[in-house]
Amino acid sequence: MTTTRSDRPVNGHPHPGANRPDPTRTAARRPAPADEGGKKPPAAARIVAMAREQYTFVMSTDARPYAVALDGPNLALPLRNKGGLRQRLARQFADAYPGEVASQSALADAMTVLEGIAEDTDPVPVHLRVGREPAGGIVVDLGAADGRAVVVTETGWNIADRSPVLFRRSGAMAPMPAPVLDGDGLAKLHALLNMDTSAFHQLVAWLVAAWIPDIPHPALVCKGEQGTGKSKAAQMFINLIDPSPAAKRSSPRDEKAWSRQAFSSWALCLDNVSTIPPWLSDTLCKAVTGDGVVDRALYTDDDVVVLTFRRVLALTTIDAGALAGDLAERVLMLDLQLIDSHSRRSEEELDATFAAVRPAVLGALFDVLACVLAVLPTVRLDSMPRMADFARVLAAIDQTQDWRTLNDYLATSANVATDALEGDPFALAIGHLVDQVGVWQGTAGQLLDALPAPLVRPPNWPKDATRAGGRVKRLAPLLRSTGITVDDTQRSRDRTRHKLLTLARAAPEEEPASAPEQPSLWPEVAPPGHGRTPPEQP
């Protein structure tokens, strides 16, 4: 269905095409078919005139020029990329001037002029799959050619023929079916999954939160042994939020490859993750909370392009110990149960069933999202966990659905922290040391000496005092979640003023914390350059 422009407001907002140029001014800009000598204007000039009659030009907040059709879907077309304005104008030019084809140089000159027109405008937000309208509602792009979108507010949801916010598309996107009202949508989704009620409720909360664009979203980790259907389940989850021909992807080889993937998809899944190198762990953490990549612009020496994004991530893994400390604090872990041979279904049957129930599942999820938007402004938590915004969404879901997802999520997060520590030999050694002595204090170099080095040193075992101090700093949140406090605010009282690390097992809440005497913790002879003075006792 092709929509036509109307100047009536959409959901209370001025229609994006309401400010189209005056037709008389457009006609005045249109070049004459031929000058007095019978010669046509240059092809580039005619292409620019055609473009200005049909499109308005905008600059996104990340300094990318786009064209938006005056009559048609509210979609931002890139000027030069595949499937963008350049190809459309080349085809229209050939239709308008039979026997004539625009040259590459004419098209390039025209695009340069149109980019200059876009630069004269104030930057506007251009969204990918999900956006927030000024009134506070959430808009989800269905991804179809007609440009329809789902608008969710605190009173419910509806399908708008023309999106009230500007969206861009990418080749990694696929259309989403229109949601339908069906009171049994969540039950139909649960019937496809091999997980208990607690895990399913947390999954529903994660799916709903994934459409709230301005909060961090924990990475969903589908964990289980072989035969639990992790990859297929993760594929279904991503195709509910942001359908894609490649919902499952391999781990990227470097940060540039990752940034290209993340820029083209709102939600994506890394499948069969066994090990996560440090650079990828840090990159995934930044993608959860918000990331930006600056790179040199093509064919330039001093200009740059900026990719900014916050993404919804899913991972499948057998061993959760592959998660590093920072990433472990930003995940929602779901354990999938083993599928027995009598319950296993073929991939073809699963795909057909999922396609049949997906509209009802989407309608049910949008219903839950509307309920969350209605109560979220009033939700207050007694204490804020690491993923505080997501925790508030969980509390809102518990309030409206009478579930207990927040408590289950916090309990699961504690287990994830323990698993992550067990997968880190250095963190395990710190835990054993604190269990033996109760309280330990010293420099990072002395900590490295006090910890028994493994016979085969793992790659991430610190090689010197500087790296040891950095590792303790990175591990501090995970250590704290397992009851070990880390304090690096004190310094030795001698002339060297070395930073001291204090590691202690936190006392139970009902008992006052008391630091035991620690003279025996100090070696009789301090290594050179590590003079220390025990801290003053109260």
Side-chain angles (χ1 to χ4, degrees):
M1 181 180 67
T2 302
T3 58
T4 58
R5 185 184 62 83
S6 169
D7 289 343
R8 291 175 298 181
V10 177
N11 289 352
H13 299 275
H15 196 285
N19 61 345
R20 68 176 298 176
D22 181 21
T24 59
R25 296 179 57 192
T26 302
R29 286 198 306 265
R30 186 183 304 132
D35 58 19
E36 295 179 356
K39 185 178 180 181
K40 293 179 181 179
R46 285 177 279 161
I47 293 172
V48 170
M50 292 172 55
R52 299 185 74 170
E53 289 178 0
Q54 303 174 61
Y55 299 92
T56 184
F57 297 90
V58 299
M59 187 68 70
S60 67
T61 51
D62 58 356
R64 293 173 180 270
Y66 291 98
V68 184
L70 294 172
D71 292 304
N74 196 17
L75 298 176
L77 299 175
L79 299 191
R80 298 177 184 268
N81 295 351
K82 181 180 178 181
L85 185 66
R86 178 177 173 134
Q87 289 181 325
R88 299 191 182 199
L89 291 178
R91 178 182 58 81
Q92 291 179 12
F93 184 87
D95 293 341
Y97 300 96
E100 197 174 350
V101 176
S103 66
Q104 293 295 323
S105 62
L107 287 168
D109 291 343
M111 294 304 107
T112 301
V113 173
L114 299 178
E115 287 175 352
I117 296 173
E119 287 179 351
D120 285 341
T121 63
D122 292 331
V124 297
V126 179
H127 306 280
L128 180 70
R129 184 65 81 176
V130 180
R132 175 85 75 166
E133 63 175 349
I138 291 174
V139 187
V140 180
D141 180 17
L142 291 178
D146 57 17
R148 293 190 302 164
V150 177
V151 181
V152 187
T153 66
E154 60 185 23
T155 59
W157 59 269
N158 67 286
I159 299 177
D161 288 337
R162 196 175 196 272
S163 168
V165 302
L166 185 59
F167 283 113
R168 64 179 175 90
R169 301 274 177 83
S170 77
M173 292 178 61
M176 177 187 295
V180 298
L181 289 172
D182 185 325
D184 209 24
L186 295 183
K188 292 178 178 178
L189 176 62
H190 197 181
L192 291 173
L193 305 173
N194 52 315
M195 57 177 61
D196 58 27
T197 301
S198 171
F200 178 71
H201 286 172
Q202 292 180 71
L203 168 66
V204 171
W206 182 82
L207 292 170
V208 168
W211 284 317
I212 303 178
D214 36 24
I215 68 170
H217 311 89
L220 181 72
V221 177
C222 296
K223 175 192 169 189
E225 61 180 278
Q226 295 177 359
T228 55
K230 302 182 298 297
S231 297
K232 193 62 181 178
Q235 179 182 352
M236 287 192 292
F237 304 156
I238 295 298
N239 281 333
L240 282 171
I241 304 165
D242 181 23
S244 170
K248 298 181 298 181
R249 307 178 192 183
S250 301
S251 297
R253 31 176 216 280
D254 53 38
E255 188 171 357
K256 184 174 290 188
W258 160 256
S259 64
R260 286 194 295 266
Q261 290 190 35
F263 189 72
S264 62
S265 297
W266 171 248
L268 62 161
C269 171
L270 300 183
D271 194 25
N272 288 327
V273 176
S274 55
T275 59
I276 301 180
W279 74 265
L280 181 57
S281 179
D282 292 342
T283 299
L284 295 178
C285 289
K286 291 185 289 184
V288 166
T289 55
D291 194 9
V293 177
V294 179
D295 196 8
R296 182 176 64 85
L298 198 62
Y299 308 125
T300 65
D301 293 326
D302 56 357
D303 197 9
V304 297
V305 292
V306 180
L307 304 179
T308 58
F309 46 80
R310 174 188 285 147
R311 291 296 176 258
V312 176
L313 305 176
L315 299 89
T316 66
T317 183
I318 294 176
D319 178 21
L323 303 178
D326 289 351
L327 183 58
E329 286 196 303
R330 294 173 170 89
V331 303
L332 170 61
M333 185 75 68
L334 294 183
D335 281 307
L336 275 69
Q337 302 166 355
L338 185 65
I339 306 173
D340 60 59
S341 58
H342 300 289
S343 303
R344 191 175 300 277
R345 289 184 277 187
S346 67
E347 188 129 342
E348 181 181 5
E349 180 186 356
L350 274 175
D351 289 340
T353 305
F354 178 67
V357 305
R358 186 153 61 143
V361 173
L362 288 172
L365 292 174
F366 286 133
D367 282 340
V368 177
L369 177 58
C371 294
V372 169
L373 294 180
V375 303
L376 190 58
T378 63
V379 170
R380 299 290 182 271
L381 301 180
D382 294 334
S383 61
M384 288 289 198
R386 180 64 179 268
M387 300 295 292
D389 296 280
F390 179 68
R392 291 184 64 242
V393 173
L394 295 179
I397 288 179
D398 292 346
Q399 180 177 333
T400 58
Q401 307 298 317
D402 196 22
W403 294 348
R404 56 186 310 274
T405 58
L406 179 56
N407 289 337
D408 292 343
Y409 166 70
L410 295 177
T412 303
S413 297
N415 294 336
V416 171
T418 301
D419 292 343
L421 285 177
E422 290 177 352
D424 191 313
F426 188 71
L428 273 180
I430 291 176
H432 291 157
L433 175 64
V434 174
D435 287 340
Q436 291 173 3
V437 301
V439 175
W440 186 94
Q441 187 178 66
T443 65
Q446 290 162 353
L447 175 63
L448 202 56
D449 294 337
L451 298 178
L455 294 177
V456 178
R457 179 171 295 183
N460 61 350
W461 189 275
K463 296 180 176 62
D464 52 44
T466 301
R467 292 180 176 86
R471 288 279 289 140
V472 172
K473 191 75 172 178
R474 292 175 67 93
L475 289 170
L478 281 182
L479 292 170
R480 194 176 300 112
S481 67
T482 58
I484 297 177
T485 62
V486 178
D487 178 17
D488 62 352
T489 60
Q490 301 182 48
R491 289 187 176 271
S492 61
R493 291 184 295 179
D494 61 358
R495 58 183 179 80
T496 60
R497 302 291 295 169
H498 285 299
K499 180 183 290 187
L500 299 177
L501 298 173
T502 304
L503 308 173
R505 175 68 66 182
E509 294 184 359
E510 64 273 11
E511 297 176 5
S514 58
E517 295 292 333
Q518 21 180 342
S520 60
L521 300 182
W522 303 98
E524 295 181 1
V525 180
H530 288 79
R532 298 163 298 156
T533 302
E536 292 182 339
Q537 300 296 324

